[in-house]
Amino acid sequence: MSHFYSEPSSQVVVAASNGIDAYFVTQFKGKKREWECECTTFRALHRNCKHMDIAKEAIKTKKVGGKVISIWIGEVK
């Protein structure tokens, strides 16, 4: 059986540097590309971005504040 999950494992909303927008950074545990972001750096250039680093740290600490607007961590199966 495949270990492919289409549902996100966790999601963090990170404020953009322009102070107006925000990006959803989503983790898909088990996928080849575990992290995805809505920003241009990830979508157009296919590179990891600063939003992913912020999201990873937010999930570790489970703290909202600063650039982190909200954190959602799904069920552990």
Side-chain angles (χ1 to χ4, degrees):
M1 176 173 254
S2 173
H3 291 284
F4 178 79
Y5 302 102
S6 60
E7 294 296 320
S9 306
S10 58
Q11 191 169 54
V12 180
V13 181
V14 178
S17 57
N18 67 9
I20 299 169
D21 299 320
Y23 298 112
F24 285 91
V25 181
T26 309
Q27 180 183 28
F28 294 93
K29 284 188 179 176
K31 278 184 70 175
K32 183 177 180 181
R33 184 88 166 162
E34 190 170 320
W35 290 91
E36 294 183 4
C37 183
E38 294 181 323
C39 73
T40 305
T41 301
F42 180 77
R43 294 288 178 205
L45 303 177
H46 307 288
R47 295 189 320 198
N48 287 349
C49 61
K50 61 185 174 186
H51 311 111
M52 289 180 184
D53 295 334
I54 294 168
K56 289 174 187 178
E57 185 63 28
I59 288 175
K60 278 185 201 174
T61 62
K62 296 179 179 65
K63 291 186 180 178
V64 176
K67 292 275 186 184
V68 178
I69 297 170
S70 70
I71 302 170
W72 172 81
I73 299 174
E75 294 179 29
V76 178
K77 294 182 180 182

